[in-house]
Amino acid sequence: MSAPQGPAPSPESGASGVTKALEQALRTLEREQEALTTELAAARMARAQAESLLSVLAEWSLFIDGAAHDRMRLLREAPRLLVPRLAEAATIEIASFGARPWAVAHVDAARAAALESGEARPRPEGGAGVLRMPLMYGDRALGWLTVWWERPQPVSPAVTMVLGLLSQQMAAVLAEAERQTRRIEAERAGTALTVAIAQELTNPLQALALSLEMVFNAHARGDTTEDWLEQRLAAMRRSTLRMQRGVEMLLAADAVREDRVRLSPERFDLAEVTRRVASAVTLEMEGAGAACVVVDGPAVEGRWDRTSVTLVLGILLRQASRAATGTQVDVRVHADRCARVTVADRGASSNGDGLGDGRGHGSHGSDGVDGPGVDANDPDDAMQVGLWVARELVAVMGGTLGASSAVPQGATLVIELPLP
């Protein structure tokens, strides 16, 4: 006898199960569609970003070919290639230019103007959506490329890679512009050396000869006093000191021009050498209305070429003293990541009579970088040659000489030398 059978399922319950299964399948399909839509949007975004990256690289390559004769213009335009395709803002800083950005681009024109003038500062490095890359050439940081987004956000690896590649190429462009500028400066300096010889040697030699003649004649007549003789001897000493430093500068200029600078590093206190140079400059320029030179700072020990450091300090302090006639030259020596000497004049001028305006010390070379701007018919160009020599000697020692600030009442130059 067979077992009894249960009640047969009704048609309504079977239809309900099928409906539930279909609804579940539909929800699964909807979730899969949403996931596919999200993936498609991400893929489109990635493709758009990749196209932007490729377009930046392609335009950069074309720009390099078209602006090979004007490398500094190329660098000045570089931030505009990055904004807004890769970031909302970008700046390029050049180590020798000073604190303000050298080239700026921003999605907001007013913000760009504020960044360029120094009224606004870029977003601090290290936060989300900020990328700062050094423009390294060898072991030297010639400048920095900084990009950022005003609202913090992660930086994609692709953007980081492209910006790293661009920063390497920018560093190479900047290094070549620097070499070209040095060649131009050397040529101009060679033209100005004749004028410098006349100013730095002939003039003090004539003054020395005249003083000697006066002393000789007065002694022959028996018409000398102790005070008068001391005054003549002091004048002759100043003329001798000026001739001595003129010879040193001209020999250094010739060595730099012919790439014959040889360094003999030794350990010494930079602050002590600075005070000695300041004392010698004060003595040399006594009676000429020169400024008072005030040196402040603790001992800063390091290994540098003493002759080169002394010559560089002398050039800058003499120039600052002439620019700040009757006022004061402030000199500060200190150290943090490097040894630093700051020379600030308080003169009424920051043109060729002063330390410069932060963009160099003279006219622009073919690459838009500042050269010595010398003119063989202008006797003041002897000092321009001196400033060029100072900049080159600091560079040979592995340091930099640049302007940190400039105001209508004077200018500031900063020497940075590597610490051991």
Side-chain angles (χ1 to χ4, degrees):
M1 182 173 180
S2 62
Q5 299 292 320
S10 66
E12 289 79 6
S13 63
S16 174
V18 171
T19 301
K20 289 181 180 178
L22 289 175
E23 288 176 350
Q24 184 176 0
L26 181 61
R27 285 194 294 271
T28 301
L29 288 174
E30 287 175 346
R31 287 194 297 270
E32 291 177 353
Q33 182 181 8
E34 289 177 1
L36 288 174
T37 302
T38 302
E39 290 179 7
L40 181 59
R44 286 174 176 170
M45 185 178 298
R47 178 179 176 180
Q49 187 180 64
E51 289 176 348
S52 293
L53 295 174
L54 290 174
S55 68
V56 167
L57 291 174
E59 191 170 347
W60 173 258
S61 299
L62 291 173
F63 202 26
I64 285 181
D65 294 338
H69 64 287
D70 194 349
R71 297 173 182 85
M72 300 310 287
R73 174 175 167 264
L74 169 63
L75 289 178
R76 193 173 290 281
E77 293 294 329
R80 297 185 180 93
L81 296 178
L82 307 179
V83 175
R85 285 180 287 186
L86 298 191
E88 293 180 348
T91 63
I92 291 180
E93 300 163 72
I94 295 180
S96 60
F97 178 73
R100 286 189 293 116
W102 188 81
V104 172
H106 199 287
V107 291
D108 183 349
R111 176 76 170 163
L115 287 167
E116 195 163 15
S117 66
E119 296 176 3
R121 298 293 301 167
R123 281 188 55 201
E125 59 179 297
V130 180
L131 195 60
R132 181 175 170 86
M133 293 191 161
L135 305 182
M136 298 296 298
Y137 193 78
D139 57 352
R140 295 173 56 207
L142 303 181
W144 296 268
L145 168 65
T146 305
V147 301
W148 72 94
W149 292 258
E150 292 298 347
R151 280 179 285 188
Q153 59 181 280
V155 183
S156 72
V159 170
T160 302
M161 180 189 69
V162 169
L163 291 175
L165 177 61
L166 289 178
S167 67
Q168 293 176 10
Q169 295 182 359
M170 289 177 187
V173 168
L174 187 55
E176 180 56 34
E178 185 180 80
R179 286 191 292 269
Q180 177 67 13
T181 299
R182 286 181 174 175
R183 287 193 292 268
I184 294 171
E185 289 178 344
E187 293 172 0
R188 292 176 175 173
T191 304
L193 282 177
T194 302
V195 176
I197 290 172
Q199 181 176 348
E200 300 300 318
L201 299 182
T202 306
N203 294 348
L205 181 60
Q206 291 175 346
L208 179 61
L210 179 60
S211 292
L212 285 171
E213 186 68 20
M214 291 174 64
V215 169
F216 180 80
N217 291 336
H219 179 71
R221 296 192 306 269
D223 188 18
T224 60
T225 64
E226 186 173 345
D227 290 343
W228 181 86
L229 191 57
E230 287 181 357
Q231 292 175 4
R232 289 296 93 204
L233 289 174
M236 286 188 283
R237 184 180 185 185
R238 287 195 295 272
S239 296
T240 303
L241 288 173
R242 184 177 174 186
M243 288 176 59
Q244 178 183 350
R245 62 100 170 170
V247 169
E248 291 172 351
M249 187 194 73
L250 294 172
L251 290 176
D254 195 50
V256 168
R257 191 163 58 96
E258 297 184 4
D259 197 21
R260 292 187 291 101
V261 177
R262 298 294 180 266
L263 302 179
S264 299
E266 59 179 289
R267 190 166 188 84
F268 60 87
D269 177 8
L270 183 60
E272 179 186 358
V273 170
T274 303
R275 281 188 283 270
R276 289 183 180 178
V277 173
S279 177
V281 169
T282 301
L283 177 63
E284 178 186 332
M285 304 190 73
E286 184 181 359
C292 172
V293 179
V294 178
V295 180
D296 179 38
V300 178
E301 295 279 344
R303 282 183 59 82
W304 308 286
D305 182 72
R306 184 188 294 266
T307 300
S308 297
V309 169
T310 301
L311 182 58
V312 168
L313 290 170
I315 290 170
L316 299 187
L317 291 180
R318 289 182 186 92
Q319 178 73 336
S321 297
R322 290 175 177 175
T325 300
T327 57
Q328 180 173 305
V329 174
D330 296 314
V331 182
R332 182 169 177 248
V333 184
H334 62 289
D336 39 46
R337 58 182 176 80
C338 63
R340 187 177 288 109
V341 181
T342 303
V343 180
D345 71 64
R346 300 183 183 180
S349 170
S350 60
N351 54 23
D353 294 330
L355 292 173
D357 64 354
R359 297 175 181 266
H361 308 286
S363 64
H364 295 287
S366 63
D367 279 312
V369 231
D370 298 311
V374 294
D375 180 354
N377 297 317
D378 186 352
D380 288 338
D381 281 335
M383 185 52 67
Q384 294 297 326
V385 174
L387 291 171
W388 169 69
V389 168
R391 203 161 57 242
E392 292 298 307
L393 289 178
V394 171
V396 171
M397 290 186 286
T400 60
L401 171 59
S404 65
S405 64
V407 295
Q409 288 75 36
T412 300
L413 278 189
V414 180
I415 305 169
E416 292 186 348
L417 293 171
L419 286 169

